[in-house]
Amino acid sequence: MAFWRSLAFSVILLLLFIHGALCFYLPGVAPQDFQKGDLLQVKVNKLTSTKTQLPYTYYSLPFCSPEKIVDSAENLGEVLRGDRIENSRYVFKMREPQMCNVVCKLTLDAKTAKEFKEKIDDEYRVNMILDNLPLVVPIKRVDQDSTVYQLGYHVGLKGQYSGSKEEKYFIHNHLAFTVKYHRDTLTESARIVGFEVKPFSVKHEYEGKWDDKTRLTTCDPHAKHTVVNSNTPQEVEENKEIVFTYDVEFQESDVKWASRWDAYLLMSDDQIHWFSIVNSLMIVLFLSGMVAMIMLRTLYRDISKYNELETQEEAQEETGWKLVHGDVFRPPNNSDLLCVYIGTGVQFFGMILVTMIFAVLGFLSPSNRGGLMTAMLLLWVFMGIFAGYASARLYKMFKGSEWKKVALRTAIMFPAIVSAIFFVLNALIWGQKSSGAVPFGTMFALIFLWFGISVPLVFVGAYVGFKKPSIENPVKTNKIPRQIPEQAWYMNPVFSVLIGGILPFGAVFIELFFILTSIWLNQFYYIFGFLFLVFVILIVTCAEITVVLCYFQLCSEDYLWWWRSYLTSGSSALYLFLYATFYFFTKLEITKLVSGLLYFGYMLIASYAFFVVTGTIGFYACFWFTRLIYSSVKID
């Protein structure tokens, strides 16, 4: 029920955005004021590892749990991300420091000891949340006078005692929390602006038998004996007792509530990011300017020359793209499939564009956890109407009559391929008992969004598009197709297509590095202004490279441009997948087979989506270009 409420809430929220609702704070991310002594409930989230990419719930390990574990309501995006937010036994009082609070005592058996060791081996991190702020570990940079923040703390570590070569496992069982707050001098209320921790491994000791009033000798606030290091660490072994404790310290901060996420969003080296993006932008703009200038000058000369031909002898000596005017708009082979791909590409393009606009305006900030993925899914569903419209309009231009068949394929084909890959990956995750596995209820919700909303909208769009007057071509098509002369080696379709994908990929590959890092190395990505700029550059480069190669193709009297225009810019997806493979072997430390399959499975889906989007951009650019040039010359 919580999921369905959050899904309905997300739909209402999206509609409010579309209708321009006036609101300052997004629901769920409004500031909360705390008075001194107010209870602060720390929530626990999933355990994550960049080595396995398989999230697990916090209580999948035998950590101290409250009497009743309560799940927080999660939206669709959170469920798909593997987030599982639950309550914990870590409870603070606002601006009241605590020392050596005992959470619980645990005696390990063989099974639990093995589970802890496996998670330590795979470098799992514990994620917690306080007032919607994730827990971070501050790390001082040695070379610079600055601090970087890592999300979550490690479950434990591996090490050796001095003088011994045997490797032992140690657990972080003492947490020194620091809660930073910004105080209002008028009302004395405060807002939380930071949540940090320093984890320690301590072998706690006590006298007598253990009960609720037992005082530790290794950590005693009365004796002012606190934990400041891990010199006597707590081993993870069968029959070992582990006492979990924590301190909490409150620090007043000058950081205001509106700026509290700044530290989280500046985790990477932003100077490199700036330099890389600007460098890429300059190169692409320079190339785009050159391409545009060459195309405009060459085309202007061609059109002027063709329009000056008056005698029949001159007309018979024509060469170049005017010769194929009677075949250039001949419907291609598998025109139905091309219509389906164009419709899907329009759907994707609309989803990406609107998502980026929302993100640039700040609606999809990291504080709205799971909001980005939820928005993308809902927008994909609602953009189905444009997919149906685009595919039906093109289908009618190709003199097709069975618009319902094309509409059904547009609504089913791409989601079915992605769903098949996703189902296999989800089965693998389920087999690992990971919280990243999508529950059956969420699966049902996704199927409902697909067949209950997206498919009907595609049919509505296709109906409207097919009822419109057919797109008229600027020149008539001959009944008998013209023979295509033998082409030069550099105009070979495979070579031409592969060359065409290099420039669009070059426009995005630097930003792609940061996107992959945020996804697979568990970092925040929130430079949507740069991303939007890169997306615009991608559109321009896809359009220009396709137009240039299409022009060369027509000049060599090859009029089969429909599919090639789509594949030329779409081939950049091949380079994206190759780069993702390179990134896997150079930046990631994934060793498990299942984790590797997950990585390549999800990157295959991403590359396929990239192919559909870039291919559609290239196709429409070429479609506009050919109509423009053939309507600009006099054809007898």
Side-chain angles (χ1 to χ4, degrees), residues 252-536:
E252 190 167 357
S253 172
D254 294 330
V255 177
K256 294 185 178 180
W257 186 88
S259 305
R260 68 178 188 163
W261 277 88
D262 290 358
Y264 294 83
L265 304 179
L266 296 175
M267 290 183 183
S268 59
D269 197 332
D270 55 335
Q271 289 183 345
I272 295 175
H273 199 137
W274 270 95
F275 176 77
S276 301
I277 295 298
V278 172
N279 185 52
S280 177
L281 180 63
M282 290 299 104
I283 292 172
V284 172
L285 288 179
F286 176 70
L287 289 173
S288 301
M290 287 184 62
V291 167
M293 184 177 68
I294 292 168
M295 290 302 302
L296 287 173
R297 290 186 64 182
T298 308
L299 271 176
Y300 181 76
R301 187 175 66 247
D302 285 350
I303 292 169
S304 299
K305 183 180 73 173
Y306 289 148
N307 287 340
E308 287 171 2
L309 296 175
E310 294 179 354
T311 66
Q312 187 176 357
E313 290 77 13
E314 288 176 314
Q316 287 175 351
E317 292 175 5
E318 289 177 17
T319 57
W321 53 267
K322 189 182 178 184
L323 270 178
V324 295
H325 67 83
D327 297 277
V328 73
F329 292 107
R330 187 181 303 281
N333 294 329
N334 297 316
S335 58
D336 294 9
L337 184 62
L338 181 63
C339 296
V340 170
Y341 268 109
I342 293 301
T344 306
V346 168
Q347 187 174 8
F348 248 113
F349 183 84
M351 177 199 76
I352 294 170
L353 186 64
V354 178
T355 301
M356 285 196 183
I357 291 171
F358 279 166
V360 169
L361 294 175
F363 289 126
L364 302 176
S365 70
S367 57
N368 187 13
R369 194 173 288 102
L372 180 63
M373 191 171 289
T374 304
M376 289 178 71
L377 281 169
L378 293 175
L379 284 169
W380 163 264
V381 167
F382 292 124
M383 289 294 165
I385 193 166
F386 297 105
Y389 181 85
S391 59
R393 290 284 284 153
L394 192 63
Y395 181 68
K396 190 171 184 179
M397 191 190 77
F398 290 148
K399 311 300 180 187
S401 57
E402 299 179 352
W403 67 271
K404 292 180 182 177
K405 181 180 175 183
V406 169
L408 182 64
R409 290 178 70 184
T410 304
I412 297 294
M413 193 183 76
F414 181 86
I417 293 171
V418 171
S419 298
I421 299 172
F422 181 75
F423 183 79
V424 172
L425 296 178
N426 197 59
L428 292 174
I429 300 172
W430 201 283
Q432 297 293 313
K433 299 179 181 179
S434 167
S435 65
V438 177
F440 286 112
T442 308
M443 282 280 198
F444 179 77
L446 293 173
I447 293 171
F448 170 76
L449 288 173
W450 179 11
F451 287 99
I453 301 176
S454 181
V455 173
L457 284 177
V458 171
F459 272 89
V460 169
Y463 175 80
V464 173
F466 200 75
K467 287 296 180 183
K468 287 260 186 182
S470 180
I471 300 171
E472 294 295 330
N473 295 320
V475 290
K476 292 182 179 179
T477 302
N478 296 333
K479 291 184 178 179
I480 301 174
R482 178 187 177 89
Q483 187 174 358
I484 300 172
E486 188 176 346
Q487 301 292 301
W489 66 269
Y490 52 82
M491 290 307 298
N492 179 280
V494 175
F495 181 79
S496 176
V497 163
L498 291 177
I499 288 295
I502 294 175
L503 190 60
F505 172 74
V508 300
F509 89 96
I510 295 175
E511 196 65 20
L512 183 63
F513 170 80
F514 292 100
I515 294 171
L516 291 177
T517 300
S518 68
I519 294 172
W520 299 106
L521 295 181
N522 200 26
Q523 296 180 10
F524 286 112
Y525 183 90
Y526 195 58
I527 314 178
F528 290 111
F530 278 125
L531 188 61
F532 186 75
L533 185 62
V534 170
F535 183 60
V536 172

Side-chain angles (χ1 to χ4, degrees), residues 562-597:
W562 297 95
W563 272 108
R564 200 188 293 193
S565 66
Y566 194 97
L567 296 173
T568 295
S569 53
S571 65
S572 56
L574 173 64
Y575 297 104
L576 187 150
F577 189 77
L578 291 175
Y579 180 78
T581 305
F582 170 78
Y583 184 88
F584 176 84
F585 288 108
T586 58
K587 298 295 180 183
L588 300 182
E589 298 178 2
I590 293 174
T591 53
K592 292 189 176 181
L593 177 62
V594 171
S595 303
L597 290 174

Side-chain angles (χ1 to χ4, degrees), residues 47-49 52-56 124 429 432 434 592 594-595 598:
L47 306 174
T48 56
S49 168
T52 68
Q53 302 296 336
L54 293 168
Y56 288 89
Y124 269 88
I429 300 172
Q432 297 293 313
S434 167
K592 292 189 176 181
V594 171
S595 303
L598 288 180

